[in-house]
Amino acid sequence: MATTSSMFMYSLTIQPPSSITQAILGQFAGTKEQQIVTASGSRLTIHRPDPTQGKISTLLSQDVFGIIRTLAAFRLAGSNKDFIIIGSDSGRITIIEYVPSQNRFNRLHLETFGKSGIRRVIPGQYLAVDPKGRACLIASVEKNKLVYVLNRNAQAELTISSPLEAHKPQTLVFALVGLDVGYENPVFAVLEVDYTECDQDPTGQAFEDLEKSLVYYELDLGLNHVVRKWSDPVDRTATMLLQVPGGADGPSGVLVCGLDNITYRHSNQDAFRVAIPRRRGATENPERKRYIVAGLMHKIREAFFFLLQSEDGDLFKVTLDMVEDVSGQPTGEVKKLKIKYFDTVPIASNLCILKSGFLFVASETGNHVFYQFEKLGDDDDETEFDSDSFPADPTESYAPIYFHPRGAENLNLVESIDSMNPQLDCKVANLTDEDAPQIYSICGTGARSTFRTLKHGLEVNDIVDSELPSVPSAVWTTKLSRTDQYDAYIVLSFIDGTLVLSIGETVEEVTDTGFLSSAATLAVQQLGEDALIQVHPKGIRHIRADRRVNEWPAPQHRSIVAATTNERQVAVALSSGEIVYFEMDTDGSLAEYDEKREMSGTVTCLSLGEVPEGRTRSQFLAVGCDDSTVRILSLDPDSTLENKSVQALTSAPSALAIMAMADSTSGGFTLYLHIGLYSGVYLRTVLDEVTGELSDTRTRFLGPKPAKLFRVSVKGQTAVLALSSRPWLGYSDPQTKGFMLTPLDYVGLEWGSNFSSEQCVEGMVGIQNKNLRIFSIEKLGNNLLQQSIPLTYTPRKFVRHPDQPLFYTIESDNNTLSPSVRERLLNDSSIVNGDGVVLPPEEFGFPRAPGHWASCIHVVDPVTAKEVLQQIDLTENEAAVSIAAVSFSSQDDETFLVVGTGKDMVVSPRSFSGGFIYVYRFLEEGKELEFIHKTKVDEPPLALLAFQGRLLAGIGSELRIFDLGLKQLLRKCQAQVVPNLIVGLQTQGSRIIVSDVQESVVFVVYKYQENRLIPFVDDVIARWTTCTTMVDYETVAGGDKFGNLWLLRCPQKASEEADEDGSGAHLIHERQYLQGAPNRVALMTHFFPQDIPTSIQKTQLVAGGRDILVWTGLQGTLGILIPFVSREDVDFFQTLEQHLRSEDAPLAGRDHLIYRSYYVPVKGVIDGDLCERYAMLPNDKKAMIAGELDRSMREIERKISDMRTRVAY
């Protein structure tokens, strides 16, 4: 198998995974403020919660190119900064710190202890830290535990010892936590099971008698070794440990959470146990026991409490009562354990309580949520249960306890953070006839699932929208004097006049401003200290603060066609092609430069930069002419209006703007010339501040209208507002400082300007037809906008209507009561009062019951109504498994919706009592569905597809073709083509690509004359296929359940033979090869993106972009694969990737090449996410890599950014 591929792809992430597997809290910046650090797949992100606004913003997100398994925060005694320990799949323990001044993670220690990869005996799965920051324990699932002692040296730097072993063979670890013992020797509590006897006992009796133990490991700091200090059996169902405060704060010890019970344990205390309260209600099963899935301990003044979450999402508050001594002071002895219902929140993977009174819930599925505490639930009327009524012995039985769930009383939702985990299917389509397509996706589980529309753009906050008497052509805002903080006037130019509005509490017209109102305006500027300037076609008006007006008239028979100004300079272009230049004198008047500069063509636009700090003038004037050139003229007193450089363009320039912006290459600010063309193309080039040379041009197509450019300020940085058929904003990315050009989610504007007032400090004003609009942009971090439509159950698949902008989703939830059963239980006459309350399922979930399915079909309109139009519930314990829109040629090509269902399905081990195929007719242009008939089949049909005017269905391991009959579907042809189970179908022509659940893909050809389905190519590797798409007639791209992406190609000869005319007899009689098809596919490319692909398709993402592969991952990832066109680019990126692997080694110590080759060696794919790390490197490393590649730093950054911007966001 050749390691070099004839095909190369460039892999990029458009949206990183949004599922949070770990979340920790700490003061990572070394200030009083707390931050949250989260792990999502291979990404480490630090968030800053803002308690004043109740919002969470991202400070930094970095891909560590390794799987993050555990995170822990610790702080050395006496310091005020928390460090982060990462347990990953690299076989190494990593300690990093966050450096707020440079906004980056800095690695302090990387200690190797084992092999890489996720293995059962290599530590990394569990991680616990001593609360005083003296040691940490990192453990594997089985056998190995290592303790590292953490300390500081004479330079106050963090040091780490060599590891101390606490291994015990044939022992499984279930949970691990550091005990709070004050300043005594550090102790770690572990839940363990010793399976030595089970292994040797064939009768299974030892397995029945197996005990789970709570074990204390003590690190003796004097002797520097670890001992097993104490061990005691606990409830066999225990899965979770929580640390109880010790030292001066509490009794120390742990809470052990098991099935239906919570126990307090410590080596020198009695055990106390309480049950986990169960929900009471007509639809609830009173026998169902709950587990605790998440929890945390929080200390408040003089006290502490626990919040524990059950698998329904209910939070319980657990407290400990202490024995009091004679004077009423609590002693270190526990009296009882108490539990009460607190509130219900989404099921969490982690909970974090901030000192500022907020609760961050990292949801297992769906959006993450941020709550504020209203109260701590101390004085409400919820029943409190305590340990006096329950036996401490785990084997004894007890009466269960119940509570009534209710709406939130103690917590108040302040923000919901978008998360698309789990993402189950996705389609890219342009339903709104915009320039670029939108991404439609189904995600979430249960009643919190959503149908989402993703659109590339920045969120715009609309402030004012008011109608004007007629259509203006331009708008400006201006201050009255240089020291003013806010703008005073909005100046609107019409075809034959100018209107001035003053900005105050209200916006109203003013007439005594000195502006000429009878002519159109070309430019407005606040000049010098306190003067104003108005440029109109017949001249320049200079308005002094005392309202004296100086007028410079344009020469006879000529008018001004373009103008540009800054606070000290004015340049105008006359209709004859001459440029007149003015500069402000020391007395504040405008002085005209003696000579006019003649240009070769008509001038279309001009630009002067802002006057740099400490200078008297801007050095350069940019002039755009209709001969498709831009010239840079010097404004130096010695060489005024002399030509410095020329740039030829593809069409005439319509707008120019010279401005200094943050630059990732130089690390400081660089002068840029932004150019907008009449063809709708935008260019940005670097303008050399000394010579005036133009270099490093980057281009982007904005839209079919001529581009106009305006200088605005957003979030404290200078940005460029570019207007074409839709508005765009060019700005520096807050994290990478790289230049971003993103469309605004807003109406098309004709003209824009910066706007600043007391109510809106950083805003913009624009005109759209007859409307004046004022708006602002709040967030620059996220450039994919999401709109959600709530769904009922977990969505499984969806299809689009062939003509209308509508989607049809199938949704199903296992172990959930269907609506008809719920209805029956609620109408039961024996209901006690209060049990009949129906709680909103999006907060409390649907009532659960094993073996039941709840399933429905939805008609969703994401464009106009933005809601679900129709819901069809499935009855008789059926669940929808597949969906397709099929046009039947026997019905005059009318399109029907076909849905496959399974009855009484059990997921594992797989069983069912039958399958059905439902057929629905579209009514009212697809907005309604009408049931026609259903056909019983042997197994649930997991894949359906329209094929040559008939229906192709994958039923078990058989492929069948059906036609539409009056009473049911009619079987026309069938063949067994895969060994196990068909899970996906794709087709072009007569060729069908069939994906098997575990045996990769099979190419099948349908011979019409013979009515036969013949497999002719299959694969050598057993891939557990999750999604496939045909890239071309011979090539198929897909993903598997281990998180790989691959491209397979059918051999040319086999492909041609399959399509030969005739009966296909030559294919049937061809010799089978190793019990498979006669031929094998060739692997073209292979890559490990670390998320399980759930959909893949070939499409375009931007207007005029190339075809690329867009894939989505289960955890909410959106990624793309871009094919390379030239071998030269491949060589460049391959070399760059090699340099980055060594210069910017992954943070957690994983080898990048081995990580991307997790299951199969990476082939034919270059990791764009690694290449984009180039911009984040320090300048000396950038220069070194640039030298090795024999290119300039700017050229490398341009190539990297072009790969992304030409085809995606």
Side-chain angles (χ1 to χ4, degrees):
M1 203 161 86
T3 49
T4 55
S5 183
S6 57
M7 178 175 198
F8 276 88
M9 309 289 262
Y10 185 78
S11 156
L12 270 181
T13 306
I14 300 179
Q15 177 172 289
S18 47
S19 74
I20 295 180
T21 49
Q22 286 275 326
I24 55 171
L25 193 62
Q27 296 167 344
F28 301 107
T31 56
K32 286 270 169 53
E33 194 176 61
Q34 287 180 306
Q35 289 88 18
I36 298 170
V37 169
T38 60
S40 318
S42 63
R43 284 191 100 80
L44 194 66
T45 311
I46 182 162
H47 309 266
R48 176 178 167 264
D50 185 344
T52 50
Q53 296 181 321
K55 289 216 174 345
I56 291 189
S57 54
T58 304
L59 290 173
L60 172 65
S61 178
Q62 182 175 336
D63 202 326
V64 302
F65 300 110
I67 298 168
I68 303 172
R69 299 157 76 187
T70 45
L71 289 176
F74 79 97
R75 163 192 316 206
L76 292 170
S79 89
N80 59 352
K81 179 170 184 171
D82 285 334
F83 297 105
I84 304 162
I85 306 183
I86 304 174
S88 69
D89 62 341
S90 60
R92 299 165 164 191
I93 186 167
T94 318
I95 300 184
I96 61 168
E97 65 172 337
Y98 172 62
V99 186
S101 55
Q102 302 169 328
N103 191 27
R104 67 185 187 88
F105 291 120
N106 179 27
R107 187 165 74 203
L108 302 171
H109 287 289
L110 184 65
E111 296 290 325
T112 308
F113 53 70
K115 292 180 178 174
S116 62
I118 295 178
R119 304 161 190 259
R120 59 193 254 191
V121 292
I122 303 292
Q125 185 65 28
Y126 300 105
L127 180 63
V129 175
D130 171 57
K132 293 286 185 270
R134 297 168 299 170
C136 74
L137 173 64
I138 186 163
S140 59
V141 175
E142 185 181 327
K143 186 181 170 185
N144 295 335
K145 299 180 194 65
L146 296 172
V147 177
Y148 286 91
V149 181
L150 305 164
N151 215 326
R152 57 158 75 88
N153 60 13
Q155 286 79 44
E157 292 165 338
L158 173 71
T159 61
I160 185 166
S161 72
S162 34
L164 304 170
E165 297 185 351
H167 302 340
K168 186 160 187 291
Q170 298 191 314
T171 303
L172 299 175
V173 174
F174 285 83
L176 174 64
V177 70
L179 271 193
D180 190 347
V181 289
Y183 281 106
E184 291 174 15
N185 278 337
V187 176
F188 297 96
V190 187
L191 270 183
E192 288 185 352
V193 164
D194 184 338
Y195 68 81
T196 319
E197 289 172 13
C198 291
D199 247 9
Q200 272 117 43
D201 174 30
T203 62
Q205 187 54 41
F207 177 72
E208 295 302 321
D209 305 340
L210 196 63
E211 279 187 340
K212 194 173 280 187
S213 320
L214 175 64
V215 185
Y216 281 7
Y217 286 90
E218 182 179 18
L219 163 66
D220 192 320
L221 288 171
L223 298 173
N224 208 23
H225 78 132
V226 186
V227 289
R228 268 172 82 101
K229 184 183 176 188
W230 175 75
S231 169
D232 207 29
V234 292
D235 181 9
R236 188 167 166 182
T237 60
T239 53
M240 193 172 171
L241 293 176
L242 286 147
Q243 161 196 330
V244 178
D249 302 325
S252 186
V254 289
L255 284 190
V256 182
C257 305
L259 179 64
D260 205 39
N261 71 85
I262 298 161
T263 317
Y264 168 76
R265 297 300 303 261
H266 193 32
S267 54
N268 59 4
Q269 302 259 11
D270 293 337
F272 294 93
R273 187 161 77 135
V274 292
I276 299 172
R278 306 178 189 177
R279 283 189 184 181
R280 170 155 279 169
T283 52
E284 290 292 339
N285 172 10
E287 296 304 309
R288 186 161 75 88
K289 299 176 176 181
R290 271 53 166 191
Y291 271 106
I292 295 293
V293 294
L296 83 168
M297 181 272 297
H298 187 64
K299 290 185 199 173
I300 38 181
R301 289 180 305 281
E302 304 294 316
F304 60 89
F305 64 88
F306 296 86
L307 280 185
L308 304 181
Q309 187 182 41
S310 75
E311 62 205 76
D312 295 328
D314 301 322
L315 284 178
F316 300 103
K317 182 178 173 182
V318 176
T319 48
L320 290 169
D321 273 5
M322 312 304 281
V323 176
E324 292 178 354
D325 60 13
V326 192
S327 58
Q329 291 298 314
T331 61
E333 203 176 326
V334 180
K335 188 164 73 181
K336 57 181 164 186
L337 183 65
K338 298 194 295 195
I339 187 167
K340 67 194 281 195
Y341 174 58
F342 188 73
D343 261 345
T344 300
V345 298
I347 297 174
S349 58
N350 283 83
L351 300 165
C352 299
I353 293 186
L354 281 74
K355 287 182 180 151
S356 48
F358 288 90
L359 172 70
F360 174 67
V361 178
S363 308
E364 240 180 41
T365 63
N367 290 356
H368 308 300
V369 274
F370 198 45
Y371 291 97
Q372 186 165 15
F373 280 97
E374 296 290 320
K375 56 188 202 309
L376 288 175
D378 293 330
D379 42 6
D380 55 13
D381 49 7
E382 280 296 329
T383 322
E384 190 163 55
F385 306 98
D386 63 31
S387 53
D388 295 349
S389 36
F390 299 97
D393 179 7
T395 55
E396 287 184 42
S397 60
Y398 50 84
I401 49 178
Y402 297 94
F403 72 99
H404 280 297
R406 49 155 170 78
E409 284 179 8
N410 303 309
L411 295 171
N412 178 23
L413 177 68
V414 283
E415 200 193 6
S416 177
I417 302 138
D418 277 334
S419 162
M420 296 178 60
N421 162 52
Q423 182 170 238
L424 294 143
D425 202 355
C426 171
K427 304 259 186 282
V428 179
N430 191 354
L431 302 187
T432 51
D433 290 332
E434 290 173 27
D435 300 349
Q438 307 84 47
I439 298 171
Y440 297 93
S441 149
I442 47 175
C443 40
T445 57
R448 295 181 70 235
S449 53
T450 49
F451 181 101
R452 301 208 182 191
T453 306
L454 275 80
K455 204 164 140 191
H456 181 220
L458 288 172
E459 200 173 344
V460 173
N461 180 11
D462 216 343
I463 299 167
V464 176
D465 177 8
S466 59
E467 204 170 332
L468 298 165
S470 62
V471 179
S473 57
V475 61
W476 293 270
T477 55
T478 178
K479 307 173 183 178
L480 286 180
S481 77
R482 200 166 86 188
T483 52
D484 285 1
Q485 192 184 347
Y486 302 122
D487 293 327
Y489 294 151
I490 296 178
V491 182
L492 290 156
S493 166
F494 297 89
I495 292 169
D496 52 358
T498 296
L499 177 70
V500 183
L501 308 173
S502 82
I503 304 168
E505 288 297 316
T506 58
V507 174
E508 49 209 27
E509 187 179 346
V510 281
T511 50
D512 56 346
T513 55
F515 280 87
L516 181 69
S517 59
S518 59
T521 300
L522 294 172
V524 174
Q525 174 76 38
Q526 186 273 317
L527 193 80
E529 288 304 319
D530 52 8
L532 292 174
I533 230 170
Q534 176 194 16
V535 183
H536 54 91
K538 288 292 167 214
I540 302 174
R541 264 173 104 85
H542 185 189
I543 306 158
R544 298 290 181 103
D546 51 12
R547 297 278 188 264
R548 279 183 306 152
V549 173
N550 294 351
E551 182 89 41
W552 177 86
Q556 272 184 323
H557 310 305
R558 280 173 275 182
S559 61
I560 298 174
V561 291
T564 177
T565 59
N566 63 27
E567 58 204 42
R568 302 183 59 87
Q569 297 158 289
V570 179
V572 296
L574 304 178
S575 50
S576 57
E578 292 166 308
I579 287 176
V580 191
Y581 170 63
F582 303 83
E583 202 167 301
M584 199 176 75
D585 274 355
T586 43
D587 62 350
S589 63
L590 273 183
E592 180 184 346
Y593 177 68
D594 310 337
E595 297 170 27
K596 297 184 176 62
R597 169 76 195 262
E598 192 82 46
M599 298 308 278
S600 55
T602 309
V603 177
T604 56
C605 47
L606 298 168
S607 175
L608 281 164
E610 292 287 299
V611 180
E613 199 80 17
R615 297 280 185 89
T616 54
R617 64 177 69 80
S618 165
Q619 295 285 85
F620 303 112
L621 168 68
V623 183
C625 300
D626 64 356
D627 58 358
S628 299
T629 59
V630 169
R631 287 179 168 73
I632 302 294
L633 306 185
S634 164
L635 299 179
D636 212 42
D638 310 332
S639 58
T640 312
L641 298 187
E642 277 185 20
N643 210 358
K644 281 283 192 187
S645 63
V646 181
Q647 168 93 38
L649 305 165
T650 52
S651 101
S654 56
L656 295 171
I658 295 177
M659 57 176 88
M661 290 177 77
D663 175 23
S664 63
T665 311
S666 66
F669 281 81
T670 302
L671 205 58
Y672 288 106
L673 170 64
H674 303 269
I675 309 170
L677 306 185
Y678 275 101
S679 57
V681 172
Y682 159 87
L683 298 93
R684 166 174 162 261
T685 86
V686 176
L687 176 59
D688 190 298
E689 295 178 36
V690 182
T691 63
E693 291 290 327
L694 295 173
S695 62
D696 187 35
T697 307
R698 302 195 186 181
T699 60
R700 187 87 182 260
F701 177 62
L702 302 184
K705 283 184 170 177
K708 300 192 185 79
L709 306 173
F710 306 95
R711 178 199 174 95
V712 292
S713 125
V714 177
K715 290 284 180 218
Q717 59 161 298
T718 307
V720 57
L721 178 68
L723 305 179
S724 174
S725 52
R726 58 177 173 168
W728 297 67
L729 187 76
Y731 58 96
S732 301
D733 182 83
Q735 275 187 36
T736 61
K737 299 288 176 276
F739 182 73
M740 306 274 283
L741 190 67
T742 310
L744 301 182
D745 184 31
Y746 206 50
V747 293
L749 300 172
E750 273 87 58
W751 197 274
S753 175
N754 207 36
F755 175 84
S756 179
S757 73
E758 277 186 57
Q759 290 81 17
C760 168
V761 181
E762 283 188 325
M764 295 169 219
V765 56
I767 45 183
Q768 172 230 353
N769 293 340
K770 283 173 77 167
N771 292 6
L772 179 74
R773 286 173 173 263
I774 299 175
F775 57 94
S776 69
I777 292 166
E778 300 299 326
K779 282 189 201 159
L780 289 180
N782 179 23
N783 64 358
L784 271 181
L785 289 169
Q786 299 189 6
Q787 286 179 335
S788 298
I789 300 168
L791 301 174
T792 310
Y793 307 115
T794 306
R796 303 291 172 173
K797 293 191 171 83
F798 72 133
V799 293
R800 189 192 153 188
H801 190 287
D803 315 313
Q804 304 299 327
L806 297 169
F807 285 101
Y808 304 90
T809 65
I810 50 169
E811 297 155 41
S812 60
D813 268 326
N814 194 7
N815 297 339
T816 302
L817 290 181
S818 65
S820 52
V821 181
R822 289 203 299 270
E823 202 79 358
R824 197 179 73 231
L825 290 170
L826 286 168
N827 295 335
D828 193 347
S829 53
S830 61
I831 290 183
V832 192
N833 280 348
D835 283 0
V837 181
V838 179
L839 297 162
E842 53 275 8
E843 284 172 39
F844 296 90
F846 288 106
R848 309 185 67 77
H852 286 258
W853 284 88
S855 183
C856 69
I857 304 164
H858 272 162
V859 182
V860 182
D861 177 357
V863 180
T864 43
K866 296 193 173 159
E867 61 179 17
V868 172
L869 303 178
Q870 186 188 5
Q871 173 168 342
I872 299 171
D873 283 306
L874 298 179
T875 54
E876 296 179 10
N877 210 23
E878 283 179 43
V881 291
S882 55
I883 185 168
V886 183
S887 70
F888 287 98
S889 28
S890 58
Q891 304 288 322
D892 305 331
D893 288 339
E894 185 187 344
T895 305
F896 293 84
L897 187 72
V898 182
V899 176
T901 70
K903 186 170 163 62
D904 303 328
M905 290 193 295
V906 178
V907 182
S908 174
R910 186 168 176 266
S911 71
F912 44 83
S913 62
F916 294 95
I917 301 177
Y918 286 71
V919 180
Y920 293 92
R921 179 178 261 125
F922 294 121
L923 302 179
E924 301 197 20
E925 296 182 320
K927 292 196 173 93
E928 273 186 33
L929 296 176
E930 177 193 38
F931 173 66
I932 297 179
H933 56 60
K934 69 176 184 179
T935 309
K936 187 167 179 13
V937 288
D938 329 332
E939 293 194 31
L942 295 181
L944 299 173
L945 185 70
F947 177 70
Q948 299 185 354
R950 299 198 273 188
L951 168 69
L952 190 65
I955 298 168
S957 62
E958 287 190 345
L959 192 58
R960 295 187 186 173
I961 296 179
F962 288 99
D963 210 339
L964 188 63
L966 284 176
K967 293 280 178 69
Q968 64 166 30
L969 290 167
L970 310 171
R971 192 188 319 181
K972 297 291 182 191
C973 172
Q974 77 172 32
Q976 185 172 348
V977 293
V978 298
N980 303 300
L981 189 62
I982 296 176
V983 291
L985 296 168
Q986 303 286 332
T987 180
Q988 278 186 25
S990 297
R991 180 168 298 177
I992 304 160
I993 309 286
V994 182
S995 19
D996 182 78
V997 67
Q998 72 178 58
E999 290 290 344
S1000 190
V1001 295
V1002 179
F1003 283 61
V1004 176
V1005 64
Y1006 175 62
K1007 293 294 182 188
Y1008 191 77
Q1009 308 93 313
E1010 291 276 298
N1011 192 23
R1012 289 193 74 158
L1013 290 160
I1014 309 166
F1016 64 97
V1017 180
D1018 58 16
D1019 197 355
V1020 288
I1021 293 180
R1023 304 177 200 279
W1024 292 69
T1025 324
T1026 54
C1027 58
T1028 50
T1029 186
M1030 289 186 78
V1031 181
D1032 57 40
Y1033 193 57
E1034 256 105 38
T1035 318
V1036 60
D1040 63 41
K1041 77 166 190 180
F1042 297 106
N1044 299 301
L1045 286 169
W1046 29 261
L1047 250 89
L1048 306 172
R1049 184 163 283 171
C1050 167
Q1052 186 77 34
K1053 185 162 169 276
S1055 174
E1056 286 165 5
E1057 278 178 8
D1059 288 346
E1060 280 173 15
D1061 290 342
S1063 64
H1066 59 295
L1067 291 175
I1068 299 165
H1069 301 306
E1070 197 165 354
R1071 244 182 83 203
Q1072 286 195 345
Y1073 180 60
L1074 301 177
Q1075 285 92 44
N1079 300 288
R1080 298 285 178 266
V1081 289
L1083 177 69
M1084 302 302 293
T1085 66
H1086 200 286
F1087 188 66
F1088 174 74
Q1090 215 257 287
D1091 199 351
I1092 299 172
T1094 53
S1095 78
I1096 184 165
Q1097 57 201 307
K1098 180 175 151 191
T1099 179
Q1100 299 169 354
L1101 280 183
V1102 293
R1106 295 215 315 272
D1107 270 353
I1108 54 175
L1109 287 176
V1110 178
W1111 66 275
T1112 59
L1114 185 74
Q1115 302 178 356
T1117 317
L1118 272 177
I1120 55 175
L1121 291 168
I1122 309 159
F1124 278 104
V1125 180
S1126 73
R1127 184 76 214 194
E1128 186 191 348
D1129 277 354
V1130 174
D1131 294 343
F1132 168 79
F1133 278 105
Q1134 267 188 326
T1135 323
L1136 175 65
E1137 192 182 30
Q1138 277 165 2
H1139 282 297
L1140 281 165
R1141 277 177 188 150
S1142 57
E1143 292 305 320
D1144 182 41
L1147 193 65
R1150 188 86 167 103
D1151 181 293
H1152 175 267
L1153 179 65
I1154 297 176
Y1155 166 69
R1156 288 299 187 202
S1157 313
Y1158 225 107
Y1159 294 94
V1160 173
V1162 63
K1163 177 177 178 184
V1165 180
I1166 287 164
D1167 187 357
D1169 295 333
L1170 179 68
C1171 294
E1172 290 191 344
R1173 295 268 315 147
Y1174 179 79
M1176 314 284 281
L1177 291 179
N1179 261 7
D1180 53 339
K1181 282 196 176 174
K1182 278 192 198 175
M1184 193 208 82
I1185 293 175
E1188 293 276 334
L1189 287 168
D1190 205 11
R1191 312 262 178 144
S1192 71
M1193 277 155 56
R1194 284 199 185 283
E1195 199 181 344
I1196 294 176
E1197 294 204 338
R1198 186 180 81 226
K1199 279 184 94 79
I1200 294 170
S1201 96
D1202 277 358
M1203 279 309 286
R1204 183 183 275 270
T1205 54
R1206 282 192 182 150
V1207 295
Y1209 318 132

